[in-house]
Amino acid sequence: MTRYLIGRLSVFIIAVFLLTVFSFSLNYLFPGDPITNMSGIRPFQSSYPLMVELRGGDQNLAIQYMRYLQHLFAGDWGLSLSNGTPVFADGIQHFMASMELILLALLVAVVFGLPLGVFAASRFRQRSDQTVISLAMVGYSIPVFWLAQLLILLFAIKLGWFPITGQINPLYGVEPQTGSILIDVFLSRSEYKAAALQDALNHIVLPVIILAIMPMMLLLRLMRNATQEMLQKPFVKAARARGLSEFRVLVKHAIPNAVQSVLQQTTLIFSLLLTNSIVVESIFNWPGMGNWLIRSIFERDYPIIQAAVLMFAFVILFFNLLVELYHGWRFPIVRHEQYATR
């Protein structure tokens, strides 16, 4: 496990290094002054000469890159060109808002996708299996923005069950502290905390459902195929021959082994959630990283564009690392397969 851990961490560190190099190079690829793109300080401001000195603007690129890393790890990601607020502090709040949405959508996808996949596999090639798989194909094929418009028309406009935009009604006076609206409601001193929580949940239902549909359908199909493949294995047939019921065969033998292969696709599902969150957040005006990035592109706010790209890529890399480490720890055969030929 130690060798596997060192190998995964080495790959992660190299990937992060290349990511910082790419992020640093954006300062020169964007139009305008590189120091302004890094810091958000414009040449006509009095603090600009000091910023040139701090960022190594009068020295070579290697020194500038080292200074860039120092500021990056110190949490000094510059100021927004549009409103002058610190990019790092804003980024943390937007990150928390996105993670709240993504994790809830992932939970919904897992809770409904995996059992439906097992159900379809247990009814392989029967009418119920074909119905579930057809619905899964339809759900996976519908574009997120179109599905969002349909559900908004039905549940928000026609039935009036859920709000269309935002995290919470501003009349509750919940000040953003962490970026996650559910945590902020608990931390608030509002006299109407229960009503505020209910309003926040009403705001989050539609974005979570829309974001969860595509990964749920993907999980369903993966779980169905993996479970069906396991049900054809000799050890499962041997379990049946010993007289085990079909339910016990599924629970004790097929599902645990099927989950192993589905787990390998978790990083793909998380990446799918992260990219689709850009569309969902823009439609529902959810203050997450995706909405933050899109708005900064329209405003040509280069420090924010750079920070959002950096955060998106880092989150994907870090999640991949966690899944690989868990997979290597939980299933030793993964480690043996990787190093068996060396």
Side-chain angles (χ1 to χ4, degrees):
M1 184 64 194
T2 304
R3 187 179 181 184
Y4 181 82
L5 178 66
I6 293 173
R8 294 299 96 191
L9 285 176
S10 302
V11 172
F12 174 73
I13 291 171
I14 292 172
V16 171
F17 165 72
L18 294 176
L19 177 62
T20 57
V21 171
F22 171 72
S23 174
F24 173 72
S25 65
L26 286 178
N27 295 305
Y28 291 87
L29 297 175
F30 288 143
D33 181 61
I35 299 299
T36 301
N37 294 337
M38 288 185 208
S39 63
I41 305 296
R42 292 182 170 88
F44 57 81
Q45 293 179 278
S46 58
S47 56
Y48 182 78
L50 176 61
M51 193 53 61
V52 172
E53 183 181 349
L54 291 175
R55 296 277 181 172
D58 52 352
Q59 301 186 51
N60 59 49
L61 284 178
I63 299 295
Q64 289 184 35
Y65 173 69
M66 295 304 297
R67 298 282 179 86
Y68 170 77
L69 285 185
Q70 289 176 359
H71 285 82
L72 194 67
F73 288 116
D76 180 11
W77 292 16
L79 304 175
S80 166
L81 290 173
S82 57
N83 54 26
T85 56
V87 172
F88 182 74
D90 281 356
I92 293 296
Q93 289 209 345
H94 289 93
F95 170 79
M96 290 295 291
S98 284
M99 286 301 108
E100 179 179 52
L101 203 62
I102 289 170
L103 292 179
L104 286 173
L106 182 61
L107 179 65
V108 171
V110 169
V111 166
F112 290 97
L114 294 185
L116 281 173
V118 174
F119 171 77
S122 65
R123 303 286 192 278
F124 187 61
R125 291 182 178 171
Q126 296 180 17
R127 183 167 297 178
S128 51
D129 172 39
Q130 293 172 351
T131 304
V132 171
I133 287 302
S134 300
L135 290 175
M137 290 182 67
V138 171
Y140 188 76
S141 305
I142 297 177
V144 173
F145 66 91
W146 194 58
L147 180 64
Q149 300 302 323
L150 288 178
L151 295 189
I152 286 173
L153 282 173
L154 176 61
F155 293 107
I157 297 177
K158 184 74 175 176
L159 300 175
W161 290 355
F162 304 112
I164 298 176
T165 63
Q167 281 184 308
I168 192 171
N169 191 325
L171 292 177
Y172 287 106
V174 176
E175 294 293 331
Q177 299 181 52
T178 64
S180 165
I181 187 60
L182 299 182
I183 297 176
D184 286 347
V185 169
F186 281 113
L187 295 178
S188 73
R189 296 180 179 178
S190 171
E191 298 177 3
Y192 308 100
K193 194 176 287 188
L197 181 62
Q198 183 178 356
D199 188 70
L201 290 173
N202 282 341
H203 277 79
I204 209 170
V205 167
L206 274 184
V208 165
I209 290 176
I210 292 164
L211 192 57
I213 290 292
M214 191 176 285
M216 185 197 305
M217 300 299 112
L218 182 59
L219 268 175
L220 189 159
R221 293 171 61 185
L222 290 172
M223 191 65 190
R224 181 250 192 189
N225 294 340
T227 306
Q228 179 54 33
E229 183 182 346
M230 290 300 153
L231 288 174
Q232 305 303 319
K233 295 287 185 182
F235 68 90
V236 173
K237 293 179 180 176
R240 285 196 184 106
R242 291 202 305 272
L244 267 66
S245 66
E246 196 63 25
F247 178 76
R248 292 192 66 184
V249 168
L250 267 174
V251 172
K252 293 190 67 175
H253 297 282
I255 294 177
N257 290 288
V259 168
Q260 180 182 348
S261 60
V262 173
L263 189 63
Q264 294 176 351
Q265 306 298 326
T266 310
T267 53
L268 169 65
I269 293 168
F270 187 78
S271 302
L272 186 67
L273 281 167
L274 204 58
T275 50
N276 283 342
S277 69
I278 297 175
V279 179
V280 173
E281 288 175 5
S282 301
I283 292 173
F284 288 93
N285 196 25
W286 191 266
M289 284 195 300
N291 196 15
W292 193 46
L293 174 62
I294 295 296
R295 195 170 64 248
S296 66
I297 291 173
F298 281 114
E299 295 173 349
R300 298 185 181 181
D301 200 333
Y302 300 123
I304 291 183
I305 295 174
Q306 192 181 159
V309 170
L310 193 62
M311 292 175 76
F312 265 110
F314 182 81
V315 168
I316 292 175
L317 289 175
F318 186 67
F319 187 78
N320 285 351
L321 173 69
L322 292 181
V323 171
E324 286 184 349
L325 291 182
Y326 173 76
H327 204 228
W329 168 74
R330 179 65 180 83
F331 306 107
I333 190 172
V334 175
R335 307 196 303 267
H336 297 157
E337 285 177 352
Q338 182 161 359
Y339 296 109
T341 57
R342 298 185 183 181

